[in-house]
Structure formats: structure tokens, C-alpha cells
């Protein structure tokens, strides 16, 4: 179902992997360009296909993932799909090494927001102080020094609570289960096609070598 141009209430910036992602894509692109422009460079069809495959996977896993929120939906753009979750249907939100959202007892994850391994081993958030400041018309914003993953976790929980209140949906109710039926997943056909095609070319070129 097409959604057209959407107005996002909030967009959460990725927490890690951007620099390495850019480096990986640039290196992969350079190998492809050299292999195509200069056939005598030693970068044959297998190398070029592998570079395309690696570049597509690096882009999809490190640069593409993002978490956005519309008025009524949590939108998670991942490597091979975009998942749309009704905010009122969300049962829980937690950020560990990845963002994990529970809807209808099913777990949906996004690598866009996460904690380092060391941060994920810290004590539960209920035992830590949170520095949150209410801003009229903007909800909660992170104060200086607050961990960004903590802020995302709290902000998403607040947005989900607001959606439940707005639609008069209680946690664990039949109404929430009905709203959860509107979860949708849209495959990223371009990304899938590039990965499959590049993988096939690499395998066939190795087999025929």
C-alpha cells in the first residue's frame, strides 16, 4: 500500500556504523569503477561482482537503517525491508545492542539505534537516573550528557503511550490486538535484487573460471 509523502513526527539518527559504512561503500565503488574502466587492472568479473555485493550489504546494514515516527506509526527501515508498526499496538520498546519492539508478542528489530556491548551490560534503566526535560509542543528532549539510546527508548515509549491514549487503546486489550493486525512489511526489492544478482554472478564466474 503506497504511503506517498509522509510527515514524520520524529526521525532518530543512527547511533553507529556510519563512518565504516561510508568507507566500505567508497572502497567497493572504487573497485567496481576500476574493474569496469580498466579491464587490465586485475579486477575481473568475480572481483567486481563481490565488490557490488559487499557494497550493497554494507550500505543496507550500516547506512540505510533508520527509525522514523509518523503520527500513528513507527517506521523501521532495515536492510531488506521496511516495517510499519502502529504505535498503539506496541507492547514494549527496549534498546540493547539493537532496538527491539514487541507487537502482538512478536519482536521487530532495527540496527539503526543501539548500545555498545559495554553499555548493554549496564544495570537495568530502572536503577539509573534519567535526565529528561519536557518542552511544550515537543515532548521530551535529551539533556546534555544523556545517553542517546536512553532518549530514543523513552521517546518511543512516550509516543506509543500518546497513541494508545489518543485511540483509547489499553495495553493487552482486544482493541490493541486488532490494531496490531495493521502491521505491514514491504520488501526492499532493489536491494534484494542487487544482492541476489551480484551473488549469482560471483558464484557463476568462480564456477566457470
Amino acid at each position: 500500500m503506497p504511503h506517498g509523502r509522509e510527515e514524520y513526527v520524529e526521525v532518530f539518527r543512527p547511533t553507529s556504523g556510519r563512518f565504516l559504512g561510508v568507507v566500505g561503500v567508497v572502497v567497493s565503488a572504487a573497485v567496481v569503477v576500476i574493474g569496469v574502466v580498466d579491464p587490465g587492472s586485475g579486477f575481473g568479473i568475480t572481483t567486481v561482482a563481490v565488490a557490488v555485493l559487499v557494497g550493497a550489504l554494507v550500505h543496507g546494514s550500516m547506512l540505510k537503517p533508520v527509525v522514523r515516527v509518523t503520527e500513528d506509526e513507527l517506521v523501521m527501515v532495515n536492510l531488506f525491508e521496511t516495517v510499519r508498526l502502529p504505535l498503539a499496538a506496541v507492547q514494549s520498546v527496549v534498546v540493547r545492542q539493537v532496538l527491539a519492539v514487541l507487537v502482538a508478542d512478536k519482536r521487530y528489530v532495527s540496527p539503526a539505534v543501539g548500545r555498545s556491548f559495554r553499555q548493554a551490560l549496564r544495570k537495568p534503566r530502572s536503577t539509573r537516573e534519567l535526565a529528561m526535560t519536557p518542552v511544550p509542543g515537543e515532548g521530551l528532549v535529551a539533556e546534555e550528557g544523556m545517553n542517546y539510546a536512553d532518549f530514543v527508548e523513552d521517546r518511543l515509549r512516550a509516543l506509543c503511550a500518546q497513541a494508545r491514549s489518543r485511540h483509547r487503546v489499553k495495553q493487552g486489550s482486544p482493541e490493541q490486538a486488532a490494531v496490531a493486525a495493521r502491521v505491514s512489511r514491504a520488501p526492499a526489492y532493489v536491494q534484494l535484487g542487487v544482492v541476489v544478482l551480484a551473488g549469482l554472478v560471483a558464484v557463476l564466474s568462480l564456477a566457470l573460471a
Side-chain angles (χ1 to χ4, degrees):
M1 177 180 176
H3 292 270
R5 293 175 62 88
E6 292 184 292
E7 183 176 343
Y8 294 107
V9 174
E10 204 142 343
V11 178
F12 299 101
R13 63 176 173 79
T15 53
S16 64
R18 306 294 288 180
F19 176 75
L20 291 178
V22 170
V23 171
V25 169
V26 169
V27 171
S28 297
V31 171
V32 172
V33 171
I34 293 172
V36 172
V37 174
D38 183 8
S41 63
F43 291 162
I45 187 171
T46 301
T47 303
V48 170
V50 170
V52 171
L53 176 62
V54 170
L57 291 174
V58 168
H59 174 269
S61 60
M62 294 184 174
L63 301 180
K64 181 185 174 186
V66 66
V67 175
R68 305 183 180 112
V69 178
T70 67
E71 184 178 0
D72 286 313
E73 290 184 316
L74 170 60
V75 182
M76 298 194 300
V77 180
N78 293 331
L79 172 57
F80 291 129
E81 67 176 357
T82 295
V83 182
R84 309 181 73 91
L85 307 170
L87 290 170
V90 173
Q91 296 168 290
S92 67
V93 175
V94 65
V95 179
R96 290 290 180 259
Q97 288 182 280
V98 295
L99 167 65
V101 180
L102 192 68
V103 174
D105 296 323
K106 187 171 183 179
R107 188 170 178 262
Y108 299 87
V109 301
S110 170
V113 180
R115 306 179 192 276
S116 67
F117 181 72
R118 178 178 296 180
Q119 289 174 333
L121 291 178
R122 291 166 63 189
K123 293 180 180 179
R125 298 198 58 225
S126 58
T127 66
R128 305 201 305 270
E129 288 187 9
L130 298 178
M132 304 292 287
T133 300
V135 175
E138 296 184 19
L140 298 173
V141 297
E143 288 188 354
E144 183 178 355
M146 181 183 186
N147 183 282
Y148 185 69
D150 288 348
F151 168 67
V152 173
E153 194 175 74
D154 279 292
R155 184 64 179 137
L156 286 177
R157 288 174 178 173
L159 289 169
C160 291
Q162 290 169 15
R164 288 195 301 272
S165 176
R166 188 165 59 250
H167 294 288
R168 295 186 173 90
V169 172
K170 293 183 178 180
Q171 281 280 33
S173 67
E175 290 79 12
Q176 187 177 48
V179 174
R182 297 204 298 266
V183 170
S184 67
R185 310 178 81 145
Y189 290 113
V190 173
Q191 199 101 28
L192 283 167
V194 170
V195 169
V196 171
L197 182 59
L200 285 174
V201 171
V203 171
L204 288 175
S205 62
L206 282 173
L208 297 174

Coordinates of all heavy atoms in Angstrom, one line a residue, residues 4 9 14 16 40 43 54 75 83 107-108 119 121 123 147 170 176 182 189 193 205:
G4 N 2.9 7.5 -0.1 CA 3.2 8.8 -0.6 C 4.1 9.6 0.3 O 4.9 9.1 1.0
V9 N 6.8 12.8 12.5 CA 6.9 13.5 13.8 C 8.3 13.5 14.4 O 8.7 14.6 14.9 CB 5.9 12.7 14.8 CG1 6.1 13.4 16.2 CG2 4.5 12.8 14.4
P14 N 20.9 7.4 13.3 CA 21.6 6.2 13.6 C 22.7 6.4 14.7 O 23.3 7.5 14.8 CB 22.3 5.8 12.3 CG 21.4 6.4 11.3 CD 21.0 7.8 11.9
S16 N 25.5 4.3 15.3 CA 26.9 3.8 15.0 C 27.0 3.3 13.6 O 26.0 3.1 12.9 CB 27.3 2.8 16.0 OG 26.4 1.6 15.8
G40 N 42.4 -4.4 -17.6 CA 43.7 -5.0 -17.3 C 44.2 -4.7 -15.9 O 45.3 -5.1 -15.6
F43 N 41.2 -6.6 -11.7 CA 39.9 -6.7 -11.0 C 38.9 -7.3 -12.1 O 38.3 -6.6 -12.8 CB 39.4 -5.3 -10.6 CG 40.1 -4.8 -9.4 CD1 40.1 -3.4 -9.1 CD2 41.0 -5.6 -8.6 CE1 40.8 -2.9 -8.0 CE2 41.7 -5.0 -7.6 CZ 41.6 -3.7 -7.3
V54 N 29.3 -6.7 -1.6 CA 29.8 -6.1 -0.4 C 29.3 -4.7 -0.2 O 28.8 -4.3 0.9 CB 31.3 -6.2 -0.3 CG1 31.8 -5.4 1.0 CG2 31.8 -7.6 -0.2
V75 N 8.1 3.5 11.9 CA 8.6 3.0 10.7 C 10.1 2.7 10.8 O 10.9 3.5 11.1 CB 8.5 4.1 9.6 CG1 8.9 3.5 8.2 CG2 7.0 4.5 9.5
V83 N 9.5 -1.9 7.8 CA 8.4 -2.4 8.7 C 7.6 -1.2 9.3 O 8.2 -0.3 9.8 CB 9.0 -3.3 9.9 CG1 7.9 -3.8 10.7 CG2 9.8 -4.4 9.3
R107 N 8.6 -9.9 18.0 CA 9.7 -9.0 18.1 C 10.1 -8.5 16.8 O 10.4 -9.2 15.9 CB 10.8 -9.7 18.9 CG 12.0 -8.8 19.3 CD 12.9 -9.6 20.2 NE 14.0 -8.9 20.7 CZ 15.3 -9.0 20.1 NH1 15.4 -9.9 19.1 NH2 16.3 -8.4 20.6
Y108 N 10.2 -7.1 16.7 CA 10.7 -6.5 15.5 C 12.0 -5.7 15.9 O 12.0 -5.0 16.9 CB 9.7 -5.5 14.9 CG 8.4 -6.2 14.5 CD1 7.4 -6.4 15.4 CD2 8.3 -6.7 13.2 CE1 6.2 -7.1 15.0 CE2 7.1 -7.3 12.8 CZ 6.1 -7.5 13.7 OH 4.9 -8.1 13.3
Q119 N 27.7 -0.9 27.1 CA 26.5 -0.2 27.5 C 25.4 -1.2 27.8 O 24.6 -1.0 28.7 CB 26.1 0.9 26.5 CG 27.0 2.1 26.4 CD 26.7 3.0 25.3 OE1 26.1 2.6 24.3 NE2 27.0 4.3 25.5
L121 N 25.5 -4.1 28.9 CA 25.7 -4.9 30.1 C 25.4 -4.1 31.3 O 25.5 -4.6 32.4 CB 27.1 -5.4 30.1 CG 27.4 -6.5 29.1 CD1 28.9 -6.9 29.2 CD2 26.5 -7.7 29.2
K123 N 23.4 -1.9 34.3 CA 22.2 -2.2 35.1 C 20.9 -1.8 34.4 O 21.0 -0.9 33.5 CB 22.3 -1.5 36.5 CG 23.4 -2.1 37.3 CD 23.4 -1.3 38.7 CE 24.5 -1.8 39.6 NZ 24.5 -1.1 40.9
N147 N 22.6 9.6 27.6 CA 22.8 8.6 26.6 C 21.7 8.6 25.5 O 20.5 8.6 25.8 CB 22.9 7.2 27.2 CG 23.3 6.1 26.2 OD1 22.4 5.7 25.4 ND2 24.5 5.7 26.2
K170 N -6.1 0.2 25.3 CA -5.4 -0.2 26.5 C -4.4 -1.4 26.2 O -4.6 -2.2 25.3 CB -6.4 -0.7 27.6 CG -7.2 0.4 28.1 CD -8.2 -0.1 29.3 CE -9.0 1.1 29.8 NZ -9.9 0.6 30.9
Q176 N -6.2 -3.5 21.2 CA -4.8 -3.4 20.8 C -4.4 -4.6 19.8 O -3.6 -4.4 18.9 CB -3.9 -3.5 22.0 CG -2.4 -3.2 21.7 CD -1.5 -3.2 22.9 OE1 -1.6 -4.1 23.7 NE2 -0.6 -2.2 23.0
R182 N -2.6 -4.4 11.7 CA -2.2 -3.4 10.6 C -0.7 -3.3 10.4 O -0.3 -2.5 9.7 CB -2.8 -2.0 10.9 CG -4.3 -2.0 11.0 CD -4.9 -0.6 10.7 NE -4.4 0.4 11.7 CZ -5.1 0.7 12.8 NH1 -6.3 0.1 13.0 NH2 -4.7 1.6 13.6
Y189 N 12.9 -4.4 -2.8 CA 13.2 -5.2 -3.9 C 14.5 -4.9 -4.7 O 15.2 -5.7 -5.2 CB 12.0 -5.1 -4.9 CG 10.8 -5.8 -4.4 CD1 9.6 -5.1 -4.1 CD2 10.7 -7.2 -4.3 CE1 8.5 -5.7 -3.6 CE2 9.6 -7.8 -3.8 CZ 8.5 -7.1 -3.5 OH 7.3 -7.7 -3.0
G193 N 17.4 -7.5 -5.1 CA 17.8 -7.8 -6.5 C 19.3 -7.6 -6.7 O 19.9 -8.5 -7.3
S205 N 30.9 -17.0 -12.0 CA 32.2 -16.7 -12.5 C 33.3 -17.5 -11.9 O 34.2 -17.9 -12.6 CB 32.5 -15.2 -12.3 OG 32.5 -14.9 -11.0

